[in-house]
Amino acid sequence: LGTVELLLIAVLLLLRRGSATYGAAALAVCCAACVAAGPQTAWARLWQPEPLLIRTDLWASTWDLFWSRPWLGWGSGTFESVYPQFARFSTDYYVSHAHNDLLERAAEGGLAGIVILGCLACRWMPAVLTNPWTWGVAAVFLHSLVDFPLARLGILLWVLLITAAAQLK
């Protein structure tokens, strides 16, 4: 997903007049990232027969976690310690996040937390979607449906900063 995002940025910059240098640089960064990550790894993951297999089981377990305390949830930051009680499967991997930020927020904050997030999204997203320079925020939110980028403090701070800047217009 990150590779697709970088390629999209590169293409958009190449199509924009006067930005060909930046587009070429973004494309070079994308290629370098693919090489650094190991192209055979990326290629193998793209062709897995069921790439979300572990995640779908993880999401089902997290859904059970949410329904065990649907109103207020388990508390912010408790997923890692509470999840093992609800795990439907065993894996060799250590599970620290639900690989779905919205679902994890629901388990930790319950319906109250989801309502708060929904109100913020309704307030912020119109400004984000009308400013092309903020579309990366929407990409991060889409990415958060299959991963946990918003659990990373650096990414969360950038999202908040860009979203706040979009509100100033």
Side-chain angles (χ1 to χ4, degrees), residues 75-165:
S76 184
T78 60
F79 179 84
E80 191 173 356
S81 60
V82 178
Y83 171 78
Q85 301 169 38
F86 293 87
R88 291 184 175 190
F89 68 102
S90 178
T91 180
D92 293 336
Y93 300 109
Y94 178 72
V95 177
S96 60
H97 293 281
H99 288 271
N100 181 320
D101 274 335
L102 184 62
L103 189 56
E104 187 171 334
R105 295 294 88 65
E108 291 182 349
L111 288 173
I114 294 301
V115 167
I116 292 168
L117 285 176
C119 290
L120 289 173
C122 287
R123 170 68 177 99
W124 289 347
M125 287 314 285
V128 167
L129 294 176
T130 57
N131 294 306
W133 59 271
T134 62
W135 290 350
V137 171
V140 169
F141 286 135
L142 286 174
H143 190 165
S144 73
L145 295 175
V146 293
D147 211 350
F148 49 95
L150 298 174
R152 307 275 188 224
L153 183 60
I155 294 173
L156 178 61
L157 290 176
W158 273 110
V159 165
L160 292 174
L161 179 68
I162 292 168
T163 304

Side-chain angles (χ1 to χ4, degrees), residues 25-106:
L27 194 56
V29 167
C30 182
C31 292
C34 287
V35 169
Q40 66 279 6
T41 303
W43 189 254
R45 291 193 80 178
L46 286 173
W47 295 107
Q48 285 178 338
E50 185 62 50
L52 297 176
L53 181 63
I54 292 176
R55 286 193 170 115
T56 53
D57 291 335
L58 181 59
W59 296 336
S61 300
T62 306
W63 189 246
D64 292 342
L65 182 68
F66 164 72
W67 279 109
S68 67
R69 290 190 183 176
W71 299 110
L72 297 175
W74 288 86
S76 184
T78 60
F79 179 84
E80 191 173 356
S81 60
V82 178
Y83 171 78
Q85 301 169 38
F86 293 87
R88 291 184 175 190
F89 68 102
S90 178
T91 180
D92 293 336
Y93 300 109
Y94 178 72
V95 177
S96 60
H97 293 281
H99 288 271
N100 181 320
D101 274 335
L102 184 62
L103 189 56
E104 187 171 334
R105 295 294 88 65

